[in-house]
Amino acid sequence: MKLFEGKTAVVTGGGTGIGLATTRRLAAEGAHVFITGRRKVVLDEVVASIGPASVTAVQGDISNLTDLDDLYTAVRERGQGLDILFANAAAASFATLEQVTEDHFDDIIGTNVKGTLFTVQKALPLLNDGASVILNSSVRAGDGVVAFGVYAASKAAIRSFARTWANELKDRTIRVNAISPGTIDTPGLDGAVADKNSPVTREYFTTGIPIGRVGRPEEVADAVAFLASDQSSFILGADLVVDGGEVHI
């Protein structure tokens, strides 16, 4: 029997990078995965490649509460509740303290903090007892990379959410944990280092990784699958670091 046979999952930001790899991993293990993201064409490609029997796409932005309602309406209509929630979607861009604008702040905090909070809150009526919630934090939350201050703060909030919500939801046997990926080979990394405000390059990150390379999205997806499964039944409120031993400055 497959690991998630008969389970229902939600992966936000499920169209690319870590979200896509996790969608593939959960679907391969038997889950029906609902994915959401801003770009319909990308979501449609995922459904076509994995198959509509395993994936349902609902276009939306997690910082928009109406879009979240649409996502969970689709999950509710399936009639099997929700067993796995991977709150993965996030925004990232560089700006030093001097460069931070209100728009920059609102985009990062609105997506990463507000969006994650309401992604989980609005899932509560659907979460089956014993469900697993995984939040996507980051090693950047505490490593002091120049010009990543607002992003780092948003990811520190995610770590805090995981610990608090684990305590709040434990009576329903819902486990909440976080993962903190290091430098992972995703379109998001390419976009960040190409940013005109970026103080770092891909090589900057790579030199600090003892394993000698950046991570693969599939390696993070494996960690998510572990936290989503009964194999991690005694792990609660944890922050699982997936970074190849990256040295943080």
Side-chain angles (χ1 to χ4, degrees):
M1 184 175 177
K2 294 180 179 179
L3 192 60
F4 301 120
E5 194 73 45
K7 302 289 188 181
T8 302
V10 162
V11 177
T12 63
T16 61
I18 292 170
L20 174 58
T22 301
T23 298
R24 292 188 183 281
R25 180 78 163 84
L26 298 179
E29 291 287 356
H32 187 92
V33 188
F34 286 82
I35 62 172
T36 190
R38 297 174 178 175
R39 293 174 292 170
K40 185 177 186 300
V41 64
V42 172
L43 299 178
D44 289 345
E45 289 172 356
V46 175
V47 174
S49 65
I50 299 176
S54 297
V55 180
T56 298
V58 181
Q59 183 183 11
D61 181 340
I62 64 165
S63 66
N64 184 313
L65 272 57
T66 299
D67 288 353
L68 286 173
D69 288 338
D70 291 342
L71 167 65
Y72 290 124
T73 294
V75 176
R76 184 178 296 106
E77 288 174 349
R78 188 165 186 265
Q80 297 186 30
L82 182 58
D83 303 291
I84 301 163
L85 171 57
F86 180 34
N88 165 71
S93 59
F94 287 102
T96 66
L97 176 59
E98 293 176 328
Q99 294 168 335
V100 169
T101 64
E102 185 175 12
D103 285 344
H104 172 85
F105 180 90
D106 288 347
D107 179 48
I108 300 297
I109 299 299
T111 299
N112 299 359
V113 181
K114 173 189 171 184
T116 298
L117 188 155
F118 287 106
T119 292
V120 178
Q121 185 198 72
K122 286 179 174 291
L124 292 178
L126 291 168
L127 286 170
N128 295 320
D129 288 353
S132 181
V133 175
I134 303 101
L135 312 181
N136 195 357
S137 183
S138 172
V139 297
R140 303 281 90 84
D143 65 2
V145 171
V146 173
F148 239 13
V150 177
Y151 175 80
S154 74
K155 290 300 187 177
I158 298 303
R159 290 185 184 178
S160 179
F161 282 160
R163 194 69 177 174
T164 303
W165 296 344
N167 195 39
E168 291 179 352
L169 299 177
K170 66 182 186 300
D171 290 344
R172 290 180 57 188
T173 64
I174 294 172
R175 292 185 302 110
V176 183
N177 292 289
I179 58 164
S180 283
T183 306
I184 308 298
D185 192 7
T186 65
L189 173 63
D190 292 335
V193 297
D195 189 316
K196 61 182 176 59
N197 293 320
S198 174
V200 296
T201 63
R202 180 182 286 260
E203 290 71 26
Y204 168 89
F205 286 120
T206 305
T207 56
I209 304 175
I211 208 168
R213 60 173 175 82
V214 299
R216 298 187 298 272
E218 293 77 15
E219 292 172 311
V220 183
D222 287 341
V224 176
F226 168 69
L227 289 176
S229 75
D230 291 339
Q231 295 171 351
S232 60
S233 59
F234 199 57
I235 299 177
L236 180 71
D239 177 30
L240 178 58
V241 176
V242 187
D243 69 350
E246 189 168 340
V247 178
H248 309 303
I249 59 173

